[in-house]
Amino acid sequence: MGDDYVKVRVQLEQMRSFGEDAEKEEEEEEEEGADAEEQQQLPGSSPPHAPVSPDPSSVTIAGSDASSTSVTCKQRGKSRSRPGRDDKNSCGKHLQDLSLHGSAAHAGKNLNRLGHERTLHIRGTGKILQGKSETNGNYVSIHPSKNIPEVKLANKRRPVTVDTAKAKTSLEALKISIKQLKWKEFPLGRRAACDIYWHGVSFHDNENIVSGQVNKFPGMIEMLRKINMSRAVRTMQELFPEEYDFYPRSWILPEEYQQFSTQIRMVKENDATVNPTFIVKPDGGSQGDGIYLIRDPSDLKLMAGSQAKQGVVQEYIHKPLLIDKLKFDIRLYVLIKSLEPLEIYIAKEGLTRFCTEPYQEPSQKNLSHVFMHLTNYSLNVHSGNFVHSDSQNTGSKRTLSSVLYRLAAKGVDIKKVWSDIIALVIKTVIAVVPELKVYYQAEIPPGKPGPTCFQILGFDILLMKNLKPVLLEVNSNPSMRIEHEQEVAPGVYEYVPSPVDKEVKVGVIRDTLRLMDPKHENLSNQTPRAAGFEHGEEIPLEAEIQERSPDEAALPSLCLKQVYPKYTKQFNYLRLVERIASLFIRFLGVKGNMRLGPTAFRTFIRTCKLSNSNFTMASVDILYIDITRRWSGSTPDSREAGMGLQAFVEAFFHLAARRFKSLPMREQVASLLDLCEAQLEPQSGAEDRRSVSCSRALPRANKTQSLGLTNPQLNSPTPLRRAASQDYRLHQRLKPRSLRANVEN
Ligand code: ADP
């Protein structure tokens, strides 16, 4: 642990105990808007029962037709500008129509709990979904967890302090959460350090934080933009095509326009009956802005004035699962509690957003129908058909559990759906973590005191007709608003409470805080059970037995469920790129740097003994120049010259292919990693004994680390690397059926 770091922490502790309430800072000017997308509807009271009809139409595709042309998605009554928000896309394949399988027996297993009443407990929300059999059909009612008692803190400990000055649109939900926890809010900020800083947009909302925890990771916004996300997933698809088939095929614009065009032309020439549709998304877009559908590459709008438009064009999932003939998507909240060790939690309750025009497969005529094809709340709220409902299981925005319940009632195996969703989330996080670690070390280099980070992400997921979940995008700033806008007079809008949003989002924020409680590690550090990951095991609709402290007893059980490291065994083998990132970070050299210079690249090659008479240092230089030049063209926003992580990964794949020609690709990469790590092993002994964490208030490494080559805290310690390597080998040998079933079914 660095001495400087220890001193700073001691000073901070002293400041905290003296300066508790000492200050009131100047007022912060707050401008809304940087937050994520939508908020919600639903005013009023709550009709307790809503019909759950096994209407077969709700899971069928309406109509089909085909022809071509593209039209831009226009429309938008009013749109707020929301900086910090980003996107990602989804995946797809031409799906086969699998009719909903299972039977009433599936549903019955979950439903028939209390005599003739069907009751689903929604873990962590304190809610009960109740379905009553009546002659005329089934009814579902939800008893919202209103009036959550505030925690009676048994001990008189100093309350956890939260700086909410930059919380922006999360503020309402955050205030309620802090109150429920009996923590202390600093709405105007505070001169002394707080335990937690809640930012509305990015890590940088407050500068110069040297301790505590911030609810944003550096680089998350950049990583989750559509282009970067597509690249990160594509890298994983190269290594693990089957595991990453949940993301639709995507091409990056403008650089891959030619490839896109040629590939589509060839597909059509091979089979004239194939007429796929594509969705075009601007890189920095959100809330459906600038999105349009096309059926021919020539319909792409590549230029905006004299500038090439940056974005992605993506396979359009043309057979989504429908409910009431409407397309819908799922908003799932995911907490990354820590990067190292990787800790991921999934909220058991989420939202579903419905289109407002009955779905038809894309055709020349309907390509421009945004209310049919795009599920964005921000668009559909302006449709005359938008249903504001107080109920959680009707209307154009509903809870995820109410939709799952509805599907279960039709015989859908929702346990399988849920476990597929968990797998999708873990794999997606694994895809973005390597680059996040690079951002983290650049922002808070070793020896520099800084906060640790956590972040709530919003996953947008589409269910295909065959029930396979597809990733549409990940939002770094999901809206945490618990009100929605209502037009009270023509052109005059005001915010009114939205019960559905409140129910879901307060739970997510409150329980995130509980997990991040600096004084209450045991909640989050429950030893992961050595659980199997077979579909059917994970479902958010069951009562959860959970040991809780007396303080916690007054609160509902956690609505966030740990999925990693819980499922380490099943997914650890996928973390190959993260190991490449560890090497990259180790050789970065200069603090705060995110790119490798030519000398550092040479040092990497030499240290890992990768050059020989067939691969001279001159060839190494050529490789460096070649790859770096290509990548510098494709990343116009690059802050510095040199080789970024994605370029380094490409170079690494190249080196692996040279060295282990006869092996399949991922074996090549794994073998080269083993080789490099073995070369570095003697040098990393010292650092392995130190703590590694990019997200916990643990000691940071000092300046005298091995090699003098940067941030060992971000490198997996040797035992972890070995474990990852062993997991990979084991996976290769065994390829367990249960894992493969997750993506293949
Ligand atoms: P934005 O960030 O602008 O909301 P998204 O990627 O979320 O962009 O796309 C907007 C909407 O378009 C999604 O909510 C979804 O309804 C639809 N959509 C996006 N990608 C696809 C796809 N590949 N296939 C089918 N529908 C899609």
Side-chain angles (χ1 to χ4, degrees), residues 52-60 99-108 111 118 138 321-324 403-414:
V52 174
S53 88
D55 168 12
S57 66
S58 65
V59 287
T60 55
S99 57
L100 294 177
H101 52 287
S103 66
H106 288 275
L111 307 186
R118 296 169 166 189
N138 301 324
L321 182 71
L322 305 181
I323 288 184
D324 299 334
V403 165
L404 290 178
Y405 180 88
R406 173 106 182 240
L407 295 176
K410 289 174 182 303
V412 170
D413 181 357
I414 55 171

PDB file of all heavy atoms in Angstrom, residues 52-60 99-108 111 118 138 321-324 403-414:
ATOM      1  N   VAL A  52     -55.480 -11.342 -16.826  1.00  0.00           N
ATOM      2  CA  VAL A  52     -54.374 -12.045 -17.475  1.00  0.00           C
ATOM      3  C   VAL A  52     -55.006 -13.038 -18.410  1.00  0.00           C
ATOM      4  O   VAL A  52     -55.335 -14.140 -18.031  1.00  0.00           O
ATOM      5  CB  VAL A  52     -53.533 -12.804 -16.444  1.00  0.00           C
ATOM      6  CG1 VAL A  52     -52.491 -13.636 -17.139  1.00  0.00           C
ATOM      7  CG2 VAL A  52     -52.909 -11.840 -15.485  1.00  0.00           C
ATOM      8  N   SER A  53     -55.215 -12.654 -19.613  1.00  0.00           N
ATOM      9  CA  SER A  53     -55.919 -13.573 -20.477  1.00  0.00           C
ATOM     10  C   SER A  53     -54.929 -14.324 -21.328  1.00  0.00           C
ATOM     11  O   SER A  53     -53.963 -13.784 -21.814  1.00  0.00           O
ATOM     12  CB  SER A  53     -56.883 -12.798 -21.364  1.00  0.00           C
ATOM     13  OG  SER A  53     -56.224 -12.395 -22.514  1.00  0.00           O
ATOM     14  N   PRO A  54     -55.164 -15.600 -21.452  1.00  0.00           N
ATOM     15  CA  PRO A  54     -54.265 -16.385 -22.284  1.00  0.00           C
ATOM     16  C   PRO A  54     -54.570 -16.166 -23.767  1.00  0.00           C
ATOM     17  O   PRO A  54     -54.736 -17.105 -24.513  1.00  0.00           O
ATOM     18  CB  PRO A  54     -54.538 -17.815 -21.854  1.00  0.00           C
ATOM     19  CG  PRO A  54     -55.879 -17.784 -21.201  1.00  0.00           C
ATOM     20  CD  PRO A  54     -56.272 -16.376 -20.938  1.00  0.00           C
ATOM     21  N   ASP A  55     -54.637 -14.930 -24.133  1.00  0.00           N
ATOM     22  CA  ASP A  55     -54.962 -14.602 -25.505  1.00  0.00           C
ATOM     23  C   ASP A  55     -53.845 -15.031 -26.436  1.00  0.00           C
ATOM     24  O   ASP A  55     -52.734 -14.560 -26.359  1.00  0.00           O
ATOM     25  CB  ASP A  55     -55.141 -13.070 -25.559  1.00  0.00           C
ATOM     26  CG  ASP A  55     -55.203 -12.570 -26.974  1.00  0.00           C
ATOM     27  OD1 ASP A  55     -55.329 -13.413 -27.885  1.00  0.00           O
ATOM     28  OD2 ASP A  55     -55.123 -11.347 -27.152  1.00  0.00           O
ATOM     29  N   PRO A  56     -54.117 -15.963 -27.317  1.00  0.00           N
ATOM     30  CA  PRO A  56     -53.045 -16.495 -28.145  1.00  0.00           C
ATOM     31  C   PRO A  56     -52.414 -15.424 -29.024  1.00  0.00           C
ATOM     32  O   PRO A  56     -51.267 -15.515 -29.382  1.00  0.00           O
ATOM     33  CB  PRO A  56     -53.725 -17.560 -28.994  1.00  0.00           C
ATOM     34  CG  PRO A  56     -55.178 -17.494 -28.693  1.00  0.00           C
ATOM     35  CD  PRO A  56     -55.426 -16.481 -27.650  1.00  0.00           C
ATOM     36  N   SER A  57     -53.168 -14.408 -29.335  1.00  0.00           N
ATOM     37  CA  SER A  57     -52.626 -13.396 -30.232  1.00  0.00           C
ATOM     38  C   SER A  57     -51.463 -12.668 -29.610  1.00  0.00           C
ATOM     39  O   SER A  57     -50.635 -12.085 -30.283  1.00  0.00           O
ATOM     40  CB  SER A  57     -53.709 -12.399 -30.599  1.00  0.00           C
ATOM     41  OG  SER A  57     -54.081 -11.699 -29.433  1.00  0.00           O
ATOM     42  N   SER A  58     -51.399 -12.721 -28.289  1.00  0.00           N
ATOM     43  CA  SER A  58     -50.363 -11.942 -27.640  1.00  0.00           C
ATOM     44  C   SER A  58     -48.971 -12.477 -27.866  1.00  0.00           C
ATOM     45  O   SER A  58     -48.010 -11.833 -27.571  1.00  0.00           O
ATOM     46  CB  SER A  58     -50.637 -11.873 -26.145  1.00  0.00           C
ATOM     47  OG  SER A  58     -50.520 -13.161 -25.634  1.00  0.00           O
ATOM     48  N   VAL A  59     -48.872 -13.660 -28.378  1.00  0.00           N
ATOM     49  CA  VAL A  59     -47.531 -14.156 -28.632  1.00  0.00           C
ATOM     50  C   VAL A  59     -47.346 -14.563 -30.084  1.00  0.00           C
ATOM     51  O   VAL A  59     -46.587 -15.416 -30.415  1.00  0.00           O
ATOM     52  CB  VAL A  59     -47.179 -15.342 -27.723  1.00  0.00           C
ATOM     53  CG1 VAL A  59     -46.944 -14.861 -26.319  1.00  0.00           C
ATOM     54  CG2 VAL A  59     -48.285 -16.375 -27.757  1.00  0.00           C
ATOM     55  N   THR A  60     -48.088 -13.936 -30.939  1.00  0.00           N
ATOM     56  CA  THR A  60     -47.893 -14.278 -32.339  1.00  0.00           C
ATOM     57  C   THR A  60     -47.472 -13.047 -33.110  1.00  0.00           C
ATOM     58  O   THR A  60     -47.624 -11.929 -32.674  1.00  0.00           O
ATOM     59  CB  THR A  60     -49.201 -14.792 -32.966  1.00  0.00           C
ATOM     60  OG1 THR A  60     -50.195 -13.798 -32.742  1.00  0.00           O
ATOM     61  CG2 THR A  60     -49.631 -16.093 -32.366  1.00  0.00           C
ATOM     62  N   SER A  99     -42.978 -21.724 -31.496  1.00  0.00           N
ATOM     63  CA  SER A  99     -44.150 -21.333 -30.742  1.00  0.00           C
ATOM     64  C   SER A  99     -43.828 -21.448 -29.271  1.00  0.00           C
ATOM     65  O   SER A  99     -42.906 -22.142 -28.868  1.00  0.00           O
ATOM     66  CB  SER A  99     -45.318 -22.228 -31.103  1.00  0.00           C
ATOM     67  OG  SER A  99     -44.934 -23.535 -30.852  1.00  0.00           O
ATOM     68  N   LEU A 100     -44.573 -20.733 -28.460  1.00  0.00           N
ATOM     69  CA  LEU A 100     -44.314 -20.762 -27.035  1.00  0.00           C
ATOM     70  C   LEU A 100     -44.476 -22.183 -26.557  1.00  0.00           C
ATOM     71  O   LEU A 100     -45.437 -22.858 -26.859  1.00  0.00           O
ATOM     72  CB  LEU A 100     -45.304 -19.858 -26.328  1.00  0.00           C
ATOM     73  CG  LEU A 100     -45.100 -18.413 -26.702  1.00  0.00           C
ATOM     74  CD1 LEU A 100     -46.147 -17.566 -26.047  1.00  0.00           C
ATOM     75  CD2 LEU A 100     -43.725 -17.970 -26.302  1.00  0.00           C
ATOM     76  N   HIS A 101     -43.469 -22.605 -25.819  1.00  0.00           N
ATOM     77  CA  HIS A 101     -43.511 -23.992 -25.408  1.00  0.00           C
ATOM     78  C   HIS A 101     -43.967 -24.105 -23.968  1.00  0.00           C
ATOM     79  O   HIS A 101     -44.328 -23.154 -23.344  1.00  0.00           O
ATOM     80  CB  HIS A 101     -42.143 -24.621 -25.592  1.00  0.00           C
ATOM     81  CG  HIS A 101     -41.083 -23.832 -24.934  1.00  0.00           C
ATOM     82  ND1 HIS A 101     -40.638 -22.636 -25.434  1.00  0.00           N
ATOM     83  CD2 HIS A 101     -40.408 -24.040 -23.809  1.00  0.00           C
ATOM     84  CE1 HIS A 101     -39.702 -22.151 -24.650  1.00  0.00           C
ATOM     85  NE2 HIS A 101     -39.550 -22.989 -23.650  1.00  0.00           N
ATOM     86  N   GLY A 102     -43.868 -25.265 -23.456  1.00  0.00           N
ATOM     87  CA  GLY A 102     -44.294 -25.473 -22.078  1.00  0.00           C
ATOM     88  C   GLY A 102     -45.802 -25.616 -22.019  1.00  0.00           C
ATOM     89  O   GLY A 102     -46.490 -25.690 -23.024  1.00  0.00           O
ATOM     90  N   SER A 103     -46.283 -25.651 -20.834  1.00  0.00           N
ATOM     91  CA  SER A 103     -47.710 -25.826 -20.662  1.00  0.00           C
ATOM     92  C   SER A 103     -48.132 -25.146 -19.388  1.00  0.00           C
ATOM     93  O   SER A 103     -47.347 -24.573 -18.683  1.00  0.00           O
ATOM     94  CB  SER A 103     -48.018 -27.305 -20.570  1.00  0.00           C
ATOM     95  OG  SER A 103     -47.422 -27.769 -19.387  1.00  0.00           O
ATOM     96  N   ALA A 104     -49.377 -25.282 -19.101  1.00  0.00           N
ATOM     97  CA  ALA A 104     -49.886 -24.692 -17.869  1.00  0.00           C
ATOM     98  C   ALA A 104     -49.131 -25.233 -16.676  1.00  0.00           C
ATOM     99  O   ALA A 104     -49.027 -24.604 -15.642  1.00  0.00           O
ATOM    100  CB  ALA A 104     -51.363 -24.979 -17.731  1.00  0.00           C
ATOM    101  N   ALA A 105     -48.598 -26.412 -16.849  1.00  0.00           N
ATOM    102  CA  ALA A 105     -47.849 -27.010 -15.736  1.00  0.00           C
ATOM    103  C   ALA A 105     -46.689 -26.135 -15.320  1.00  0.00           C
ATOM    104  O   ALA A 105     -46.389 -25.992 -14.146  1.00  0.00           O
ATOM    105  CB  ALA A 105     -47.347 -28.385 -16.136  1.00  0.00           C
ATOM    106  N   HIS A 106     -46.026 -25.510 -16.292  1.00  0.00           N
ATOM    107  CA  HIS A 106     -44.908 -24.630 -15.966  1.00  0.00           C
ATOM    108  C   HIS A 106     -45.390 -23.493 -15.094  1.00  0.00           C
ATOM    109  O   HIS A 106     -44.796 -23.162 -14.092  1.00  0.00           O
ATOM    110  CB  HIS A 106     -44.320 -24.013 -17.237  1.00  0.00           C
ATOM    111  CG  HIS A 106     -43.573 -24.995 -18.037  1.00  0.00           C
ATOM    112  ND1 HIS A 106     -42.271 -25.294 -17.795  1.00  0.00           N
ATOM    113  CD2 HIS A 106     -43.948 -25.762 -19.085  1.00  0.00           C
ATOM    114  CE1 HIS A 106     -41.867 -26.199 -18.681  1.00  0.00           C
ATOM    115  NE2 HIS A 106     -42.869 -26.483 -19.459  1.00  0.00           N
ATOM    116  N   ALA A 107     -46.446 -22.911 -15.559  1.00  0.00           N
ATOM    117  CA  ALA A 107     -46.960 -21.777 -14.814  1.00  0.00           C
ATOM    118  C   ALA A 107     -47.427 -22.238 -13.451  1.00  0.00           C
ATOM    119  O   ALA A 107     -47.141 -21.620 -12.444  1.00  0.00           O
ATOM    120  CB  ALA A 107     -48.123 -21.153 -15.570  1.00  0.00           C
ATOM    121  N   GLY A 108     -48.093 -23.342 -13.450  1.00  0.00           N
ATOM    122  CA  GLY A 108     -48.651 -23.826 -12.213  1.00  0.00           C
ATOM    123  C   GLY A 108     -47.616 -24.014 -11.130  1.00  0.00           C
ATOM    124  O   GLY A 108     -47.856 -23.753  -9.971  1.00  0.00           O
ATOM    125  N   LEU A 111     -47.163 -20.785  -9.685  1.00  0.00           N
ATOM    126  CA  LEU A 111     -48.322 -19.981  -9.360  1.00  0.00           C
ATOM    127  C   LEU A 111     -49.143 -20.507  -8.201  1.00  0.00           C
ATOM    128  O   LEU A 111     -49.597 -19.745  -7.364  1.00  0.00           O
ATOM    129  CB  LEU A 111     -49.227 -19.853 -10.576  1.00  0.00           C
ATOM    130  CG  LEU A 111     -48.520 -19.345 -11.829  1.00  0.00           C
ATOM    131  CD1 LEU A 111     -49.537 -19.117 -12.931  1.00  0.00           C
ATOM    132  CD2 LEU A 111     -47.746 -18.077 -11.553  1.00  0.00           C
ATOM    133  N   ARG A 118     -53.325 -17.780  -6.848  1.00  0.00           N
ATOM    134  CA  ARG A 118     -51.964 -17.841  -7.378  1.00  0.00           C
ATOM    135  C   ARG A 118     -51.219 -16.648  -6.827  1.00  0.00           C
ATOM    136  O   ARG A 118     -51.654 -15.518  -6.968  1.00  0.00           O
ATOM    137  CB  ARG A 118     -51.985 -17.734  -8.884  1.00  0.00           C
ATOM    138  CG  ARG A 118     -52.678 -18.882  -9.538  1.00  0.00           C
ATOM    139  CD  ARG A 118     -52.863 -18.520 -10.962  1.00  0.00           C
ATOM    140  NE  ARG A 118     -53.233 -19.681 -11.743  1.00  0.00           N
ATOM    141  CZ  ARG A 118     -53.278 -19.660 -13.054  1.00  0.00           C
ATOM    142  NH1 ARG A 118     -52.977 -18.570 -13.712  1.00  0.00           N
ATOM    143  NH2 ARG A 118     -53.630 -20.731 -13.703  1.00  0.00           N
ATOM    144  N   ASN A 138     -58.479 -15.110 -15.117  1.00  0.00           N
ATOM    145  CA  ASN A 138     -57.534 -14.931 -14.021  1.00  0.00           C
ATOM    146  C   ASN A 138     -57.316 -13.455 -13.761  1.00  0.00           C
ATOM    147  O   ASN A 138     -57.355 -12.652 -14.646  1.00  0.00           O
ATOM    148  CB  ASN A 138     -56.194 -15.557 -14.385  1.00  0.00           C
ATOM    149  CG  ASN A 138     -56.352 -17.019 -14.678  1.00  0.00           C
ATOM    150  OD1 ASN A 138     -57.147 -17.684 -14.042  1.00  0.00           O
ATOM    151  ND2 ASN A 138     -55.636 -17.494 -15.670  1.00  0.00           N
ATOM    152  N   LEU A 321     -41.030 -11.090 -29.873  1.00  0.00           N
ATOM    153  CA  LEU A 321     -42.185 -11.606 -29.132  1.00  0.00           C
ATOM    154  C   LEU A 321     -43.177 -10.461 -28.964  1.00  0.00           C
ATOM    155  O   LEU A 321     -42.781  -9.322 -28.686  1.00  0.00           O
ATOM    156  CB  LEU A 321     -41.726 -12.096 -27.758  1.00  0.00           C
ATOM    157  CG  LEU A 321     -42.807 -12.715 -26.876  1.00  0.00           C
ATOM    158  CD1 LEU A 321     -43.240 -14.072 -27.417  1.00  0.00           C
ATOM    159  CD2 LEU A 321     -42.319 -12.867 -25.445  1.00  0.00           C
ATOM    160  N   LEU A 322     -44.436 -10.766 -29.142  1.00  0.00           N
ATOM    161  CA  LEU A 322     -45.459  -9.724 -29.020  1.00  0.00           C
ATOM    162  C   LEU A 322     -46.368 -10.022 -27.834  1.00  0.00           C
ATOM    163  O   LEU A 322     -46.597 -11.177 -27.488  1.00  0.00           O
ATOM    164  CB  LEU A 322     -46.309  -9.660 -30.292  1.00  0.00           C
ATOM    165  CG  LEU A 322     -45.575  -9.477 -31.615  1.00  0.00           C
ATOM    166  CD1 LEU A 322     -46.584  -9.424 -32.766  1.00  0.00           C
ATOM    167  CD2 LEU A 322     -44.719  -8.219 -31.610  1.00  0.00           C
ATOM    168  N   ILE A 323     -46.842  -8.973 -27.236  1.00  0.00           N
ATOM    169  CA  ILE A 323     -47.909  -9.112 -26.247  1.00  0.00           C
ATOM    170  C   ILE A 323     -49.008  -8.151 -26.680  1.00  0.00           C
ATOM    171  O   ILE A 323     -48.721  -6.981 -26.970  1.00  0.00           O
ATOM    172  CB  ILE A 323     -47.411  -8.786 -24.830  1.00  0.00           C
ATOM    173  CG1 ILE A 323     -46.498  -9.915 -24.335  1.00  0.00           C
ATOM    174  CG2 ILE A 323     -48.575  -8.572 -23.864  1.00  0.00           C
ATOM    175  CD1 ILE A 323     -46.017  -9.778 -22.913  1.00  0.00           C
ATOM    176  N   ASP A 324     -50.189  -8.645 -26.731  1.00  0.00           N
ATOM    177  CA  ASP A 324     -51.311  -7.855 -27.243  1.00  0.00           C
ATOM    178  C   ASP A 324     -50.994  -7.280 -28.630  1.00  0.00           C
ATOM    179  O   ASP A 324     -51.305  -6.138 -28.932  1.00  0.00           O
ATOM    180  CB  ASP A 324     -51.660  -6.716 -26.275  1.00  0.00           C
ATOM    181  CG  ASP A 324     -52.082  -7.233 -24.916  1.00  0.00           C
ATOM    182  OD1 ASP A 324     -52.571  -8.381 -24.864  1.00  0.00           O
ATOM    183  OD2 ASP A 324     -51.898  -6.513 -23.927  1.00  0.00           O
ATOM    184  N   VAL A 403     -45.131  -8.883 -16.821  1.00  0.00           N
ATOM    185  CA  VAL A 403     -45.039  -9.479 -18.154  1.00  0.00           C
ATOM    186  C   VAL A 403     -44.622 -10.949 -18.043  1.00  0.00           C
ATOM    187  O   VAL A 403     -45.178 -11.820 -18.723  1.00  0.00           O
ATOM    188  CB  VAL A 403     -44.044  -8.665 -19.028  1.00  0.00           C
ATOM    189  CG1 VAL A 403     -43.644  -9.450 -20.274  1.00  0.00           C
ATOM    190  CG2 VAL A 403     -44.661  -7.332 -19.419  1.00  0.00           C
ATOM    191  N   LEU A 404     -43.679 -11.227 -17.151  1.00  0.00           N
ATOM    192  CA  LEU A 404     -43.262 -12.627 -16.980  1.00  0.00           C
ATOM    193  C   LEU A 404     -44.423 -13.479 -16.484  1.00  0.00           C
ATOM    194  O   LEU A 404     -44.628 -14.614 -16.911  1.00  0.00           O
ATOM    195  CB  LEU A 404     -42.084 -12.718 -15.999  1.00  0.00           C
ATOM    196  CG  LEU A 404     -40.749 -12.169 -16.503  1.00  0.00           C
ATOM    197  CD1 LEU A 404     -39.677 -12.276 -15.418  1.00  0.00           C
ATOM    198  CD2 LEU A 404     -40.286 -12.899 -17.761  1.00  0.00           C
ATOM    199  N   TYR A 405     -45.182 -12.889 -15.579  1.00  0.00           N
ATOM    200  CA  TYR A 405     -46.339 -13.602 -15.062  1.00  0.00           C
ATOM    201  C   TYR A 405     -47.300 -13.941 -16.200  1.00  0.00           C
ATOM    202  O   TYR A 405     -47.805 -15.064 -16.334  1.00  0.00           O
ATOM    203  CB  TYR A 405     -47.050 -12.744 -14.015  1.00  0.00           C
ATOM    204  CG  TYR A 405     -48.255 -13.442 -13.441  1.00  0.00           C
ATOM    205  CD1 TYR A 405     -48.123 -14.288 -12.340  1.00  0.00           C
ATOM    206  CD2 TYR A 405     -49.513 -13.288 -14.014  1.00  0.00           C
ATOM    207  CE1 TYR A 405     -49.215 -14.955 -11.836  1.00  0.00           C
ATOM    208  CE2 TYR A 405     -50.609 -13.956 -13.512  1.00  0.00           C
ATOM    209  CZ  TYR A 405     -50.465 -14.790 -12.424  1.00  0.00           C
ATOM    210  OH  TYR A 405     -51.543 -15.450 -11.931  1.00  0.00           O
ATOM    211  N   ARG A 406     -47.494 -12.958 -17.005  1.00  0.00           N
ATOM    212  CA  ARG A 406     -48.409 -13.131 -18.133  1.00  0.00           C
ATOM    213  C   ARG A 406     -47.912 -14.242 -19.067  1.00  0.00           C
ATOM    214  O   ARG A 406     -48.677 -15.069 -19.555  1.00  0.00           O
ATOM    215  CB  ARG A 406     -48.478 -11.789 -18.867  1.00  0.00           C
ATOM    216  CG  ARG A 406     -49.223 -11.792 -20.145  1.00  0.00           C
ATOM    217  CD  ARG A 406     -50.553 -11.113 -20.008  1.00  0.00           C
ATOM    218  NE  ARG A 406     -51.262 -11.174 -21.266  1.00  0.00           N
ATOM    219  CZ  ARG A 406     -51.642 -10.130 -21.949  1.00  0.00           C
ATOM    220  NH1 ARG A 406     -51.418  -8.913 -21.475  1.00  0.00           N
ATOM    221  NH2 ARG A 406     -52.283 -10.264 -23.080  1.00  0.00           N
ATOM    222  N   LEU A 407     -46.596 -14.241 -19.315  1.00  0.00           N
ATOM    223  CA  LEU A 407     -46.029 -15.277 -20.185  1.00  0.00           C
ATOM    224  C   LEU A 407     -46.126 -16.646 -19.524  1.00  0.00           C
ATOM    225  O   LEU A 407     -46.431 -17.643 -20.172  1.00  0.00           O
ATOM    226  CB  LEU A 407     -44.568 -14.948 -20.518  1.00  0.00           C
ATOM    227  CG  LEU A 407     -44.345 -13.675 -21.340  1.00  0.00           C
ATOM    228  CD1 LEU A 407     -42.849 -13.405 -21.517  1.00  0.00           C
ATOM    229  CD2 LEU A 407     -45.030 -13.768 -22.700  1.00  0.00           C
ATOM    230  N   ALA A 408     -45.882 -16.663 -18.202  1.00  0.00           N
ATOM    231  CA  ALA A 408     -45.968 -17.942 -17.484  1.00  0.00           C
ATOM    232  C   ALA A 408     -47.370 -18.510 -17.606  1.00  0.00           C
ATOM    233  O   ALA A 408     -47.567 -19.716 -17.784  1.00  0.00           O
ATOM    234  CB  ALA A 408     -45.589 -17.748 -16.023  1.00  0.00           C
ATOM    235  N   ALA A 409     -48.348 -17.617 -17.528  1.00  0.00           N
ATOM    236  CA  ALA A 409     -49.735 -18.066 -17.618  1.00  0.00           C
ATOM    237  C   ALA A 409     -50.039 -18.688 -18.975  1.00  0.00           C
ATOM    238  O   ALA A 409     -50.982 -19.459 -19.128  1.00  0.00           O
ATOM    239  CB  ALA A 409     -50.676 -16.894 -17.349  1.00  0.00           C
ATOM    240  N   LYS A 410     -49.223 -18.349 -19.949  1.00  0.00           N
ATOM    241  CA  LYS A 410     -49.406 -18.940 -21.279  1.00  0.00           C
ATOM    242  C   LYS A 410     -48.558 -20.187 -21.468  1.00  0.00           C
ATOM    243  O   LYS A 410     -48.470 -20.722 -22.558  1.00  0.00           O
ATOM    244  CB  LYS A 410     -48.995 -17.931 -22.345  1.00  0.00           C
ATOM    245  CG  LYS A 410     -49.930 -16.782 -22.500  1.00  0.00           C
ATOM    246  CD  LYS A 410     -49.334 -15.789 -23.469  1.00  0.00           C
ATOM    247  CE  LYS A 410     -50.219 -14.598 -23.614  1.00  0.00           C
ATOM    248  NZ  LYS A 410     -51.562 -14.968 -24.051  1.00  0.00           N
ATOM    249  N   GLY A 411     -47.834 -20.547 -20.411  1.00  0.00           N
ATOM    250  CA  GLY A 411     -47.039 -21.771 -20.516  1.00  0.00           C
ATOM    251  C   GLY A 411     -45.590 -21.529 -20.902  1.00  0.00           C
ATOM    252  O   GLY A 411     -44.845 -22.483 -21.143  1.00  0.00           O
ATOM    253  N   VAL A 412     -45.166 -20.298 -20.951  1.00  0.00           N
ATOM    254  CA  VAL A 412     -43.768 -20.032 -21.288  1.00  0.00           C
ATOM    255  C   VAL A 412     -42.876 -20.438 -20.119  1.00  0.00           C
ATOM    256  O   VAL A 412     -43.211 -20.203 -18.959  1.00  0.00           O
ATOM    257  CB  VAL A 412     -43.580 -18.526 -21.591  1.00  0.00           C
ATOM    258  CG1 VAL A 412     -42.100 -18.172 -21.696  1.00  0.00           C
ATOM    259  CG2 VAL A 412     -44.317 -18.151 -22.867  1.00  0.00           C
ATOM    260  N   ASP A 413     -41.760 -21.036 -20.427  1.00  0.00           N
ATOM    261  CA  ASP A 413     -40.790 -21.406 -19.397  1.00  0.00           C
ATOM    262  C   ASP A 413     -40.002 -20.142 -19.020  1.00  0.00           C
ATOM    263  O   ASP A 413     -38.924 -19.875 -19.542  1.00  0.00           O
ATOM    264  CB  ASP A 413     -39.862 -22.492 -19.954  1.00  0.00           C
ATOM    265  CG  ASP A 413     -38.834 -22.952 -18.932  1.00  0.00           C
ATOM    266  OD1 ASP A 413     -38.814 -22.387 -17.810  1.00  0.00           O
ATOM    267  OD2 ASP A 413     -38.060 -23.871 -19.272  1.00  0.00           O
ATOM    268  N   ILE A 414     -40.570 -19.378 -18.089  1.00  0.00           N
ATOM    269  CA  ILE A 414     -39.944 -18.091 -17.795  1.00  0.00           C
ATOM    270  C   ILE A 414     -38.652 -18.239 -16.995  1.00  0.00           C
ATOM    271  O   ILE A 414     -37.818 -17.340 -16.979  1.00  0.00           O
ATOM    272  CB  ILE A 414     -40.919 -17.117 -17.083  1.00  0.00           C
ATOM    273  CG1 ILE A 414     -41.507 -17.742 -15.834  1.00  0.00           C
ATOM    274  CG2 ILE A 414     -41.995 -16.642 -18.024  1.00  0.00           C
ATOM    275  CD1 ILE A 414     -42.302 -16.758 -14.994  1.00  0.00           C
TER     276      ILE A 414
END
